[in-house]
Amino acid sequence: MRISSKVLIAVALTLASATASMATELSPASAQSVDLGAYRGSAYYTVENGRYRVVATLASVNSGHDQPQVIRLVTTLNPEQTVHLSVPGTLGSDGRETTIAFSRSGDRVDVASADSTAY
């Protein structure tokens, strides 16, 4: 069976738009909730002298401790750059790590999970 190039192009465009729609755009200086399974918190970015500074602060949930563990990521994204933040899986679960990605494209910063689920 032969597939036409028009069909292949249409499928590629559909997949590209579906993948792009899975990310959530961050707004400058406006916090967005993020969920890394055992850690939850927020992320935002600021523009400083043309540089995009991303800050994500998350705390452990259901850790059994009085004081939750807190993690923080501070990074500066250059144009067309992506940075990943991941935490290991919890004991007693499947053990898979959870990862989110912060990506800058032009003047836009998006956050998406590794499995492309939007926040």
Side-chain angles (χ1 to χ4, degrees), residues 11-32:
V11 170
L13 289 174
T14 301
L15 289 175
S17 65
T19 301
S21 67
M22 298 296 183
T24 299
E25 182 177 3
L26 292 179
S27 298
S30 179
Q32 170 76 32

Side-chain angles (χ1 to χ4, degrees), residues 67-88:
Q67 298 292 322
Q69 295 178 334
V70 177
I71 57 173
R72 186 171 199 184
L73 167 74
V74 179
T75 189
T76 301
L77 289 177
N78 293 314
E80 310 310 318
Q81 183 179 20
T82 298
V83 66
H84 293 88
L85 172 62
S86 65
V87 296

Side-chain angles (χ1 to χ4, degrees), residues 107-118:
D107 63 352
R108 178 183 170 120
V109 175
D110 292 318
V111 60
S113 71
D115 63 1
S116 299
T117 303

Side-chain angles (χ1 to χ4, degrees), residues 2-117:
R2 206 169 156 194
I3 300 174
S4 75
S5 60
K6 288 181 182 180
V7 170
L8 290 175
I9 291 171
V11 170
L13 289 174
T14 301
L15 289 175
S17 65
T19 301
S21 67
M22 298 296 183
T24 299
E25 182 177 3
L26 292 179
S27 298
S30 179
Q32 170 76 32
S33 295
V34 291
D35 185 346
L36 276 165
Y39 287 83
R40 294 190 185 126
S42 61
Y44 66 92
Y45 78 95
T46 58
V47 180
E48 301 169 5
N49 298 324
R51 301 176 69 183
Y52 285 51
R53 181 176 180 258
V54 176
V55 178
T57 305
L58 299 101
S60 60
V61 292
N62 302 325
S63 64
H65 300 290
D66 291 337
Q67 298 292 322
Q69 295 178 334
V70 177
I71 57 173
R72 186 171 199 184
L73 167 74
V74 179
T75 189
T76 301
L77 289 177
N78 293 314
E80 310 310 318
Q81 183 179 20
T82 298
V83 66
H84 293 88
L85 172 62
S86 65
V87 296
T90 57
L91 293 175
S93 70
D94 61 11
R96 289 186 297 173
E97 68 180 22
T98 305
T99 303
I100 57 175
F102 297 95
S103 300
R104 178 177 171 193
S105 179
D107 63 352
R108 178 183 170 120
V109 175
D110 292 318
V111 60
S113 71
D115 63 1
S116 299
T117 303

